[in-house]
DNA sequence: TATCCTTACGGAATTCGTAAGCATG
DNA sequence: CATGCTTACGAATTCCGTAAGGATA
């Protein structure tokens, strides 16, 4: 048994059992991949993959049990290197953050500025994606921490901690009739075409839920991933916008007005997530604490260390 | 990085940093061991061992952090093989039990007979030793389950479950004056030379505690690891014996009489222990359940699977 | 001076990549 | 017939053991 064999097993699952792709992903030859798999199967005495003719289709029952152990071994080898790097220097290294546009654009800049002041030599990488992609990046070990409002609880392999809370707000052009309304209601909003986030992004589920509970069916005329796009279309008069309030900048968004809607939509909570069993560098840990100061530090360590 | 390097690191700790012994233990050459260590240290970029001249003296701080991860990786590779064997056959395999003389001689025979009936093809190995040796055998993965009355809680890496409880009793020759006594007291016992278990064995601590609390200082004229030895010396009149009551067999120990002492000594509990993070074969699991039927099955699985 | 580690080097074993062949959707 | 896996074989690399040398209790 060797590590290359284990990497191949893990990659085979990730590449949907296409060994040619596995070979590409691991920068090796395809026949070598085949041989490694057969060697390992022979060594441990069970077939890991279901085969139909020459193709691999999936995992056998033993394969299903063994793959998580393989993944843990490989994660631990990664941890070995990470811990060693930690001792080599607390100040340099890489930190990869997977997050959504909204967080990257409006919530993170302040924290990242602060982080860079403390750790100027740490190289930061920001990966952007939807919630499921963020979760996947954590699971695959591509990203160290993930930040999103939506379901980062999906996989039990992830540990999520609340970072901060915020509300949606309504944005309208300056000359819009809603500007005159005193107490904003869902009914009043639902009377106009609405531009807001895509499903699965930035608390969209909360927005839908609020209207559904009020038995309202507004016209979602356009949806987008980010507030900048939404604001643009509100400005051109396509409808009113519902965005995260922090995405409104009075200094820059001069053509628009922000209407408070805290009482209309449920509070949203943005979470910071890490992958259980993956060692966190000291600075990654500090980054998490900067973003969520009230996080239970020992819980974070525990999440990162146990499986 | 390869598994041999990791095995060498683990073995270096076990062999107290004597690389010659490491080479012997792993059936390889000593220069190879040295090279593997230096290669690994170079690869991860930190020194794992404190060196004085050419000798290794201990672990550096990074070494102390990394060794547990190395151990977990190696344990998981063992788990891979164990799980694979499990699928190859539920009925064959090996089960290694580490236990004390007392358990092996008096408590286990019935359970083992029952186990062999259910799993006739499983090869059983009984390793005998003191409590610390039993714990060590579990930690090193030499034994699958450990059974003892004494401290198996020492290492947090072990999970111990109560199996059954028992009391000490007094044994005397037939013509002994204590035979006539109605209500046995500690004072009455302490008046005679006592033969009982060695320190650290079969609840000896309970016996000492009982006398200490009564402020009695009996003459422990002889101590031994097993009841057979104790009985022999009681028969020749060297003193009275204090043994586990289950070690008395009225049919065979015809020259002796058993005096109940449940009210004099605290109850003892025999524990069954496994090493956390080590996968238990189905039959090993069943063995544990036979020995401790009221064990929480999910707790046992959890102990065996998490770290 | 005996123990223990390192360096050096040659051979053994493993791993890897290329080329060719075969099965399947 | 293109995709995907296997077999076969030679090259490259890694691993291992022996022999010799040096440091330390």
């Amino acid at each position: 048994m060797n590590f290359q064999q284990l990497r191949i097993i893990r990659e085979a699952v990730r590449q949907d059992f296409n060994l040619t792709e596995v070979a590409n992903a691991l920068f090796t030859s395809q026949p070598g991949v085949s041989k490694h798999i057969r060697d390992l199967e022979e060594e441990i005495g069970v077939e890991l993959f279901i085969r139909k003719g020459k193709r691999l289709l999936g995992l056998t029952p033993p394969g299903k049990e063994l793959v998580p152990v393989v993944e843990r071994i490989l994660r631990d080898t990664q941890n070995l290197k990470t811990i060693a790097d930690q001792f080599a220097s607390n100040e340099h290294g890489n930190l990869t953050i997977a997050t959504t546009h909204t967080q990257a654009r409006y919530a993170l800049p302040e924290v990242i500025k602060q982080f860079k002041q403390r750790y100027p030599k740490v190289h930061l990488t920001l990966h952007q994606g939807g919630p499921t992609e963020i979760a996947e990046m954590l699971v695959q070990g591509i990203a160290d921490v993930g930040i999103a409002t939506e379901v980062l609880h999906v996989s039990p392999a992830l540990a999520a901690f609340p970072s901060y809370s915020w509300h949606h707000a309504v944005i309208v052009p300056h000359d819009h009739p809603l500007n005159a309304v005193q107490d904003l209601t869902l009914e009043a909003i639902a009377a106009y075409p609405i531009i807001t986030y895509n499903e699965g992004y930035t608390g969209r589920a909360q927005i839908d839920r609020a209207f559904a509970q009020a038995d309202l069916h507004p016209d979602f005329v356009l949806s987008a991933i980010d507030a900048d796009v939404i604001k643009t279309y509100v400005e051109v008069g396509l409808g009113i916008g519902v965005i995260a309030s922090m995405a409104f900048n009075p200094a820059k968004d001069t053509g628009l007005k922000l209407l408070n809607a805290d009482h209309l939509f449920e509070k949203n909570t943005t979470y910071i997530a890490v992958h259980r069993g993956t060692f966190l560098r000291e600075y990654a840990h500090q980054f998490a604490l900067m973003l969520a100061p009230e996080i239970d530090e020992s819980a974070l360590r525990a999440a990162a260390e146990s499986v």
Side-chain angles (χ1 to χ4, degrees), chain A residues 114-134:
Chain A
Q114 188 187 340
F115 178 81
K116 261 292 182 186
Q117 237 154 12
R118 171 63 189 84
Y119 295 103
K121 292 177 183 162
V122 172
H123 185 246
L124 278 170
T125 307
L126 229 53
H127 279 180
Q128 220 166 292
T132 51
E133 287 150 307
I134 292 172

Side-chain angles (χ1 to χ4, degrees), chain A residues 53-65:
Chain A
K54 290 193 169 185
R55 314 257 166 140
L56 305 197
L57 295 180
L59 290 170
T60 58
K64 287 202 179 95
E65 295 240 4

Side-chain angles (χ1 to χ4, degrees), chain A residues 100-120:
Chain A
T100 57
H101 173 90
T102 305
Q103 307 305 323
R105 176 92 165 67
Y106 301 105
L108 292 185
E110 190 51 41
V111 176
I112 284 183
K113 191 177 142 197
Q114 188 187 340
F115 178 81
K116 261 292 182 186
Q117 237 154 12
R118 171 63 189 84
Y119 295 103

Side-chain angles (χ1 to χ4, degrees), chain A residues 69 125 136 158 196 225 247:
Chain A
V69 181
T125 307
E136 190 59 20
L158 300 183
T196 189
I225 285 180

Side-chain angles (χ1 to χ4, degrees), chain A residues 141-161:
Chain A
I142 297 168
D144 301 304
V145 298
I147 302 158
T149 298
E150 311 295 337
V151 283
L152 286 176
H153 308 276
V154 276
S155 165
L158 300 183
F161 301 88

Side-chain angles (χ1 to χ4, degrees), chain A residues 18 32 37 40 66 130 147 158-159 161 178 181 185 212-213 219 225 245 293:
Chain A
N18 180 327
I37 290 178
L40 181 60
L66 291 169
I147 302 158
L158 300 183
F161 301 88
L178 272 184
V181 173
T185 62
Q213 279 175 3
D219 174 19
I225 285 180
S245 61

Side-chain angles (χ1 to χ4, degrees), chain A residues 175-205:
Chain A
D175 54 2
H176 196 276
L178 272 184
N179 246 325
V181 173
Q182 285 293 344
D183 292 311
L184 198 62
T185 62
L186 284 174
E187 286 76 9
I189 297 172
Y192 299 94
I194 293 177
I195 307 172
T196 189
Y197 298 106
N198 278 351
E199 279 181 39
Y201 282 79
T202 318
R204 168 64 186 265

